């Protein structure tokens, strides 16, 4: 079973498989580097930059049904109010793992490299 859900992507594409493939390819090109940059910002204790990447990824994470909003909110809370800092590494780790697994599955499922 896949850890992503394409129902919103399919609805947006309206049956256009080529468009779906473009959306998937865009996700693969943008989200893994953003996750890496977010993790680097967290490692460098830069909550503002971590927030920017986490916030930027939110629509795509939702679109692909990755169910990571709680983890994104932890990073946003740390950045906005200095709260939940102790939860940030675990949240970032979950985002990273889920995006990595989804990326591998999407590449395989859509025959992309």
């Amino acid at each position: 079973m896949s850890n992503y859900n394409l129902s919103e992507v399919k609805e947006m594409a309206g049956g256009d498989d080529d468009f779906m493939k473009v959306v998937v390819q865009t996700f693969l090109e943008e989200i893994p580097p953003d996750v890496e940059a977010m993790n680097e910002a967290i490692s460098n204790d830069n909550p503002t930059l971590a927030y920017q990447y986490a916030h930027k990824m939110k629509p795509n994470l939702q679109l692909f049904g990755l169910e990571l909003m709680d983890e994104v909110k932890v990073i946003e809370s740390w950045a906005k109010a200095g709260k939940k800092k102790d939860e940030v590494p675990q949240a970032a780790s979950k985002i990273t793992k889920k995006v990595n697994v989804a990326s591998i599955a999407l590449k395989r499922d859509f025959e992309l490299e």
Side-chain angles (χ1 to χ4, degrees), residues 27-69:
F27 176 91
L28 293 170
E29 289 169 3
E30 293 182 5
I31 301 305
D34 285 351
V35 169
E36 197 174 311
M38 177 194 72
N39 284 319
E40 192 174 314
I42 291 166
S43 295
N44 294 330
D45 203 31
N46 186 338
T48 304
L49 192 56
Y51 172 91
Q52 288 172 351
Y53 281 106
H55 190 74
K56 177 185 170 198
M57 290 186 291
K58 253 179 16 181
N60 280 299
L61 298 176
Q62 284 182 297
L63 182 66
F64 282 79
L66 296 182
E67 298 177 8
L68 290 166
M69 288 310 102

Side-chain angles (χ1 to χ4, degrees), residues 68-94:
L68 290 166
M69 288 310 102
D70 290 343
E71 289 73 20
V72 170
K73 286 177 186 167
V74 166
I75 293 165
E76 289 177 335
S77 294
W78 170 54
K80 282 184 177 175
K83 295 180 181 172
K84 300 184 180 180
K85 183 173 191 221
D86 55 327
E87 297 174 32
V88 167
Q90 186 177 358
S93 175
K94 186 170 180 185

